[in-house]
């Protein structure tokens, strides 16, 4: 296992345009890379999401050594219509949902392929089938069920992130 991460929201808020009382958000659909302008009430059918709220406000931002500047920040609250989950997005940072995913590698070399799997999903490796039963963010943990035609019963597997070669704790000389 490489990591357990929160799932990026399929809709991201890049910025905003307009003036007082007429701001619109600049959004990107991560599935299609479509960039569009929208405000509160706009549905994004391809993602099954709706923008519930959109606003722009002036916030103090720390710059340099203790100096404070005031900057306009856009905020949107979006709702996943399938799950009902709400996510708050800003133009200052990438937005994430509460859903977790395990990032798994099929080999340990530099050309490895990564799989991003959610709870309940499965994958095959050789003649084994693995089902993701549980994911935990802190500390990172994935619990899987391994099903093999060679055994009569499933085996529980617990994965934690492997140490990368550049990790200080992977090299005893550091």
């Amino acid at each position: 296992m490489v990591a357990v991460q929160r799932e990026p929201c399929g809709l991201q808020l890049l910025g905003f345009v307009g003036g007082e009382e007429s701001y619109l958000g600049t959004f990107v659909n991560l599935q299609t890379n479509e960039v569009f302008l929208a405000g509160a009430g706009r549905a994004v059918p391809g993602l099954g999401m709706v923008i519930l709220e959109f606003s722009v406000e002036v916030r103090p931002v720390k710059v340099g050594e203790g100096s404070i500047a005031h900057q306009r920040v856009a905020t949107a609250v979006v709702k996943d219509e399938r799950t009902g989950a709400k996510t708050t997005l800003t133009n200052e940072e990438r937005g994430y949902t509460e859903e977790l995913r395990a990032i798994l590698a099929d080999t340990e070399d530099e050309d490895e392929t990564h799989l991003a799997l959610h709870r309940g999903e499965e994958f095959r490796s050789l003649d084994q089938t693995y089902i993701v039963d549980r994911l935990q963010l802190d500390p990172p943990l994935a619990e899987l069920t391994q099903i093999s035609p060679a055994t009569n019963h499933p085996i529980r597997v617990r994965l934690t992130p492997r140490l990368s070669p550049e990790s200080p704790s992977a090299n005893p000389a550091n």
Side-chain angles (χ1 to χ4, degrees):
M1 182 170 82
V2 177
V4 174
Q5 306 170 335
R6 289 175 53 208
E7 182 75 26
C9 185
L11 188 63
Q12 295 291 317
L13 177 57
L14 301 175
F16 58 93
V17 297
E20 297 295 327
E21 304 301 320
S22 65
Y23 287 115
L24 290 175
T26 307
F27 294 87
V28 62
N29 176 332
L30 293 184
Q31 287 184 352
T32 64
N33 289 324
E34 174 193 13
V35 176
F36 59 93
L37 297 175
R42 167 82 183 266
V44 186
L47 291 175
M49 300 188 96
V50 64
I51 302 166
L52 297 177
E53 301 170 23
F54 179 77
S55 63
V56 177
E57 61 183 33
V58 176
R59 293 187 188 165
V61 178
K62 189 175 182 179
V63 289
E65 293 184 22
S67 299
I68 301 291
H70 290 81
Q71 176 178 315
R72 293 187 195 284
V73 176
T75 302
V77 176
V78 298
K79 179 180 176 182
D80 184 320
E81 293 180 309
R82 292 170 287 225
T83 65
K86 294 178 184 177
T87 303
T88 300
L89 306 173
T90 76
N91 65 299
E92 294 184 312
E93 59 190 13
R94 181 162 233 185
Y96 293 89
T97 69
E98 293 301 315
E99 186 174 0
L100 300 179
R101 64 182 181 175
I103 308 300
L104 305 176
D106 63 355
T107 63
E108 292 190 25
D109 63 22
E110 292 179 16
D111 296 326
E112 66 192 3
T113 301
H114 289 109
L115 301 170
L117 296 166
H118 302 92
R119 190 174 154 269
E121 293 183 328
E122 65 180 60
F123 68 99
R124 290 190 55 79
S125 179
L126 302 174
D127 65 341
Q128 315 290 323
T129 299
Y130 295 88
I131 302 167
V132 180
D133 294 320
R134 181 173 168 259
L135 297 172
Q136 177 178 299
L137 190 59
D138 189 23
L141 172 73
E143 292 182 352
L144 311 167
T145 298
Q146 175 187 343
I147 302 169
S148 170
T151 62
N152 291 334
H153 62 281
I155 298 170
R156 300 283 295 180
V157 179
R158 291 174 63 104
L159 301 176
T160 57
R162 66 176 185 220
L163 295 176
S164 64
E166 58 276 350
S167 172
S169 56
N171 184 354
N174 287 342

